[in-house]
Amino acid sequence: MNNDRISKSIPPHVHTWQTGRKSIWIAVLTLIPVIAWSIVLFGLPAIYIWGSTIFTALITDGISSLVMHKKFYVSDASVLTGILIAAAMPATVPLYIPILASIFAILVVRQFFGGVGSNWMNPAMAGIAFAYVNWPQSMLPQLNPLNWQLDTLTGASPMAAIQEGFNAYYNTSPSIMSGLISGADQAVTSFLNIWIFNPLHAKLPEGYVNFLLGLNANTLGEAGLLFIILGSIVLISLNLVKIEIPAALFIMYLVLVKIFGLGISDLPTVDTNILTSLTMGGFLLCTFYYATDPVSSPVTRAGMIFYGILVAFLFYIFSRHRAFIEGGAFAVIIANIFVSSIDKLVIRIKILLRSKSA
Amino acid sequence: MRRIKKFRHGGLYQRGQAFVGGQSIENAYLPNHALLIFREHEAAGEPDLAVNEGQLVNEGQLLAKATRNNALNVHASIPGIVRKIMTIPSPEGFNTRALVLSLQGHFKLNGAISGKRPWQSLNRHELSFVLQEKGVACTATGLGLHQILGNAHGVDTLIINAIDSTNYPAHEIVILEEYLNEVMEGCAIIKKASTVQSVLVALSGSRNQKLEVNIAKAAESFDLQYRIEYFSDKYPQAFPHQIISALGVNKNKNPCLFLVPGTLYAVYNAVSLNRPHIDQFVTFGGDVLKHHQLLKVRIGTPVGRLIEECGGFIHAPEIIALNNPMVNGCISNLDTPVSKTTRSVWALSKSATRLGVPDNCIRCGACIQVCPERLDPYLMYKLLGSGSIEKIRGQLDACTSCGACSYVCRSRIPLSVHFKNKKKEKLKDEQ
């Protein structure tokens, strides 16, 4: 009605440039290289998966708001939800799974609880968990999506291959997983070793470039690890994410890995390798995109840190006893349950401290 | 190197282009018509009219006499005929009576070389009476200065607040530099009229060697104990609460008096030159204004006329805000006059205001981190929405309505205005 006029006449008349919509669209922009790269790697199936989740999310949002609120309104957040759901899908998944997961995420988790800003659970994570729990077989990744690059591959399961790789690393060659090294990896690693690491008397084992470029990725999102790292730098520098959550999550997870290990190898030095732990199981995607969703995370600073630690614990547990490759979704969903309690506790302590000091 | 002081919790830095300071003050043209409003403050009482419509008045003549609580005397800023007495809405949203003067006659005060009043021989009550009679208002709050002095029991420090903490500064520092002797004499008068022992000059930004030397000279000639402190440009550093917090003193132990240089200049005029509060320094700025200027304006001059003097607009402004755009109101009418509390006028485009339609809260938590009083605007907003005010009574009382939470709100929810209105309602209920 007169909303515009009213908002004009009341102070403050100046604002920060950040808005909810802008932060969503910038997050989407940072994910576009991930989408593009996964399409390069996986081809047509990737296009179908990304397209189906985004499209389904938008349609579901529009229809449900028309039915529930008698007003056609599509929230920008649906685009991000669709992208995040697709990021956790393996390239070989049948198309009905991402579509149903998107419908579940938007309709049940977001719209039934009151729309954008009112959902207590991260809708994208709920969609991912929905898919993993209902169709565990289809959600198992095909380890070898890129036959043309990984011709030496023989392992039957990813963990076995990694295990073999680690053993090989410590016995013979300086790579973290000799069975999975692509030509690109060898080229980049040797280049970096000659120009950067050898002058510093260090040596980069082969295999990390594979991870960065997603050459042995399990899901679409993991394929763009390099771009996720770049995107997270953009999001943090523009102050669009709650920085306390990824910071706490990062530190806590690394501490846990250092102490208890990843559970992938008998050799303690391999098991507690930090770089390996960061590249596995969509950890970075979980840290910077899944766990930092503003709506379903705490609002207080202490609460954010506590939440980050909680997610790190759960993520560690899920990734160590890996029933599903995307442990992050379950970790975030379970941590979401505690968010309102965390906020209540922190604010109560704050009020108590203030009344004491006053 | 002296440490730059700042308050501890919350606050925000406004990035971007600020109005370039360090300019000289120019006298604005005299208006043909002046519109004098009777109330500067929502809680102020209305003064009683002392003239009739059609009467010819001299420059500086008393037009309305304050008889009620918080009321201020109103003087004629230009000589002329009283055309009309009417009721107009003020920029802050309340209605006030106002009086239109049309220029006629000659200026008696302007340029007249009059002897200085030997105020040193006056006592506290006489000085306070002079301030009341000349209608001197605190330009930052709109309260009568005599009232502030009357309420300030046991005050021992006068803080000259020349801090600019936003991109929209009032340029009190320029007034301090240009009229340093007058401002320091104003300080000496306030010292005589209250229990103030020493003066603290609060400046923002980096060290200003030249100003320090000049202040030392001026303070010596008026026998003032003074010290200079530099403060950060974190918003809302210019608020009294935050200055106290940055100084690290106990407010209950050392109560302070906060005045801006513009007010002290008015004090000097009233007491030393026997001239009522009819001049006001107003900064004109904003990204759609052609020339940015700091003008010495007769009170009652329409803002539109002054904007014309600044070269007009480059294109139509989205909003014309008064004073601090974070807190104060805006004007919808270019005939709105300059009043005793008008310190700056900002003509802003859409790209400067970044206004938006309020949306659902997305729980980003920015308001909690930015609050300088360590409140929880998020929780307060939610509880106000559900009607349970009792739980946040203490937080509502502590809110200073600085607007930092609304500034950072990603959903453009006008949080601080909600809190201010609720506070007002609550006060009304209690009365």
Side-chain angles (χ1 to χ4, degrees):
Chain A
M1 205 178 62
N2 282 335
N3 235 352
D4 193 43
R5 203 176 59 81
I6 292 168
S7 68
K8 260 187 193 178
S9 60
I10 48 179
H13 306 301
V14 288
H15 295 273
T16 49
W17 67 269
Q18 287 113 325
T19 64
R21 291 186 65 169
K22 268 186 198 162
S23 46
I24 288 169
W25 282 110
I26 290 173
V28 169
L29 280 180
T30 59
L31 284 169
I32 279 178
V34 180
I35 297 175
W37 183 246
S38 74
I39 290 171
V40 170
L41 285 186
F42 300 106
L44 218 51
I47 299 182
Y48 290 150
I49 295 170
W50 292 112
S52 67
T53 54
I54 297 170
F55 195 66
T56 317
L58 289 173
I59 297 242
T60 313
D61 195 5
I63 292 176
S64 62
S65 62
L66 194 64
V67 171
M68 292 165 73
H69 308 296
K70 304 277 179 289
K71 193 179 149 197
F72 186 77
Y73 173 76
V74 179
S75 157
D76 310 28
S78 299
V79 179
L80 190 60
T81 307
I83 291 179
L84 290 181
I85 290 173
M89 297 285 158
T92 51
V93 74
L95 267 191
Y96 65 89
I97 294 179
I99 289 173
L100 286 177
S102 306
I103 293 174
F104 177 79
I106 299 290
L107 192 67
V108 178
V109 182
R110 176 177 293 155
Q111 294 291 33
F112 283 4
F113 283 93
V116 178
S118 309
N119 48 294
W120 62 271
M121 188 191 272
N122 190 333
M125 296 306 100
I128 295 167
F130 179 76
Y132 274 92
V133 171
N134 280 315
W135 301 280
Q137 279 307 313
S138 311
M139 298 300 284
L140 272 183
Q142 307 292 313
L143 182 72
N144 188 12
L146 302 164
N147 289 323
W148 49 277
Q149 274 175 324
L150 302 171
D151 42 17
T152 54
L153 182 73
T154 50
S157 76
M159 284 314 133
I162 289 172
Q163 185 79 54
E164 187 188 303
F166 278 120
N167 294 341
Y169 168 43
Y170 271 87
N171 296 334
T172 54
S173 73
S175 81
I176 54 167
M177 40 203 73
S178 61
L180 293 164
I181 305 305
S182 66
D185 187 300
Q186 284 168 348
V188 174
T189 307
S190 63
F191 176 83
L192 287 177
N193 273 334
I194 290 167
W195 290 103
I196 297 174
F197 292 106
N198 285 358
L200 298 169
H201 304 290
K203 188 155 192 176
L204 182 71
E206 289 179 334
Y208 287 124
V209 177
N210 259 5
F211 274 125
L212 275 184
L213 296 179
L215 295 184
N216 36 21
N218 295 321
T219 61
L220 296 186
E222 253 178 74
L225 195 60
L226 178 65
F227 303 107
I228 287 168
I229 294 171
L230 296 178
S232 66
I233 292 169
V234 171
L235 289 183
I236 289 171
S237 62
L238 292 177
N239 196 15
L240 290 174
V241 294
K242 300 170 170 175
I243 181 68
E244 290 84 355
I245 295 173
L249 209 166
F250 217 83
I251 294 168
M252 194 63 214
Y253 180 66
L254 293 187
V255 166
L256 285 173
V257 167
K258 264 287 164 212
I259 296 173
F260 301 111
L262 282 165
I264 54 169
S265 167
D266 296 334
L267 280 165
T269 38
V270 180
D271 212 31
T272 60
N273 189 328
I274 284 175
L275 276 179
T276 318
S277 71
L278 290 184
T279 53
M280 285 179 61
F283 174 73
L284 290 178
L285 197 65
C286 173
T287 309
F288 293 107
Y289 289 90
Y290 293 175
T292 54
D293 168 45
V295 178
S296 56
S297 57
V299 287
T300 52
R301 186 169 275 173
M304 290 176 203
I305 293 170
F306 190 76
Y307 177 80
I309 291 171
L310 189 63
V311 174
F313 254 108
L314 293 166
F315 188 91
Y316 176 76
I317 290 167
F318 280 110
S319 65
R320 173 146 184 150
H321 307 281
R322 50 189 78 69
F324 306 106
I325 45 167
E326 278 290 338
F330 295 95
V332 170
I333 286 175
I334 293 172
N336 281 344
I337 297 170
F338 295 98
V339 164
S340 64
S341 312
I342 293 172
D343 270 345
K344 212 172 183 177
L345 190 74
V346 171
I347 288 178
R348 220 170 251 178
I349 291 171
K350 239 176 117 177
I351 291 173
L352 206 74
L353 287 178
R354 195 185 304 123
S355 65
K356 242 179 202 175
S357 68
Chain B
M1 184 70 200
R2 252 178 256 197
R3 205 169 65 86
I4 289 178
K5 289 192 157 60
K6 63 181 175 188
F7 58 93
R8 274 179 68 198
H9 298 285
L12 58 96
Y13 294 96
Q14 287 189 354
R15 314 280 179 207
Q17 222 174 4
F19 165 57
V20 184
Q23 296 178 347
S24 59
I25 300 169
E26 283 172 37
N27 285 320
Y29 295 124
L30 293 162
N32 292 329
H33 302 279
L35 183 62
L36 298 156
I37 62 170
F38 285 7
R39 288 162 68 209
E40 303 282 352
H41 195 261
E42 193 160 8
E46 194 121 309
D48 290 336
L49 208 61
V51 290
N52 299 317
E53 277 187 31
Q55 189 178 335
L56 188 72
V57 294
N58 292 324
E59 187 189 14
Q61 186 177 330
L62 187 70
L63 297 179
K65 185 153 179 62
T67 48
R68 292 187 185 80
N69 203 19
N70 289 335
L72 277 170
N73 281 350
V74 178
H75 297 84
S77 58
I78 53 171
I81 295 173
V82 180
R83 286 276 175 223
K84 202 177 170 193
I85 295 154
M86 56 186 183
T87 304
I88 59 161
S90 83
E92 294 298 327
F94 56 92
N95 283 334
T96 171
R97 281 217 290 176
L99 182 150
V100 184
L101 268 182
S102 293
L103 184 67
Q104 195 159 344
H106 57 278
F107 288 86
K108 277 185 180 168
L109 293 174
N110 214 25
I113 302 159
S114 55
K116 275 193 174 185
R117 189 209 298 257
W119 54 266
Q120 279 85 351
S121 59
L122 301 179
N123 70 20
R124 185 179 300 175
H125 301 292
E126 284 162 343
L127 282 171
S128 182
F129 177 75
V130 172
L131 291 176
Q132 182 179 7
E133 199 217 325
K134 296 295 174 196
V136 178
C138 181
T139 54
T141 59
L143 288 170
L145 191 58
H146 63 280
Q147 226 147 18
I148 293 176
L149 292 178
N151 292 337
H153 301 295
V155 167
D156 64 357
T157 314
L158 166 64
I159 296 181
I160 306 179
N161 187 354
I163 302 170
D164 286 333
S165 58
T166 63
N167 279 346
Y168 308 94
H171 278 276
E172 298 291 350
I173 181 74
V174 183
I175 301 168
L176 184 66
E177 278 171 356
E178 288 241 339
Y179 296 98
L180 185 62
N181 281 320
E182 288 85 346
V183 170
M184 290 315 255
E185 190 164 346
C187 289
I189 293 164
I190 294 290
K191 186 183 168 189
K192 184 95 192 192
S194 67
T195 53
V196 164
Q197 300 294 317
S198 65
V199 175
L200 192 151
V201 187
L203 305 173
S204 59
S206 56
R207 193 166 177 190
N208 188 338
Q209 209 102 34
K210 196 177 144 205
L211 185 61
E212 277 185 24
V213 173
N214 290 342
I215 288 176
K217 255 187 236 162
E220 200 183 341
S221 63
F222 294 108
D223 193 25
L224 285 172
Q225 268 184 23
Y226 81 102
R227 77 188 158 113
I228 299 170
E229 293 284 1
Y230 291 91
F231 292 85
S232 139
D233 54 357
K234 184 161 78 166
Y235 182 81
Q237 182 63 75
F239 279 49
H241 260 232
Q242 274 63 46
I243 295 178
I244 293 280
S245 150
L247 286 171
V249 293
N250 188 346
K251 197 183 179 184
N252 303 326
K253 241 184 202 170
N254 309 7
C256 300
L257 194 61
F258 293 88
L259 291 176
V260 293
T263 312
L264 290 165
Y265 182 74
V267 169
Y268 160 80
N269 265 337
V271 175
S272 194
L273 300 185
N274 205 13
R275 182 187 168 99
H277 191 174
I278 55 172
D279 299 297
Q280 183 75 11
F281 297 102
V282 186
T283 303
F284 286 84
D287 57 345
V288 295
L289 203 63
K290 215 163 205 172
H291 306 296
H292 295 174
Q293 265 179 319
L294 182 49
L295 297 174
K296 190 175 171 190
V297 178
R298 284 296 165 104
I299 283 168
T301 312
V303 168
R305 197 192 150 84
L306 296 162
I307 287 174
E308 240 170 68
E309 210 175 316
C310 297
F313 300 125
I314 296 167
H315 56 85
E318 167 95 358
I319 212 162
I320 302 171
L322 290 185
N323 300 346
N324 182 354
M326 302 278 279
V327 179
N328 294 105
C330 62
I331 58 175
S332 52
N333 185 346
L334 286 176
D335 289 335
T336 308
V338 168
S339 72
K340 285 175 187 173
T341 49
T342 311
R343 295 198 288 159
S344 48
V345 175
W346 306 100
L348 302 169
S349 69
K350 179 111 187 163
S351 63
T353 60
R354 303 192 194 100
L355 288 176
V357 182
D359 213 337
N360 289 348
C361 171
I362 55 161
R363 293 172 47 97
C364 66
C367 51
I368 294 176
Q369 298 198 0
V370 88
C371 182
E373 302 290 335
R374 302 181 76 186
L375 308 176
D376 303 306
Y378 162 77
L379 180 81
M380 291 161 74
Y381 174 68
K382 284 272 151 107
L383 287 181
L384 281 186
S386 65
S388 40
I389 307 172
E390 281 309 310
K391 284 182 188 165
I392 47 161
R393 179 171 282 265
Q395 297 209 29
L396 269 183
D397 288 340
C399 173
T400 57
S401 304
C402 68
C405 50
S406 321
Y407 177 87
V408 296
C409 183
R410 307 240 169 125
S411 298
R412 299 288 186 260
I413 301 167
L415 294 163
S416 61
V417 177
H418 274 302
F419 304 150
K420 206 173 175 181
N421 292 343
K422 233 355 152 213
K423 232 168 149 176
K424 256 184 228 160
E425 273 175 36
K426 215 181 77 186
L427 278 177
K428 254 182 210 164
D429 289 349
E430 279 166 9
Q431 275 168 5

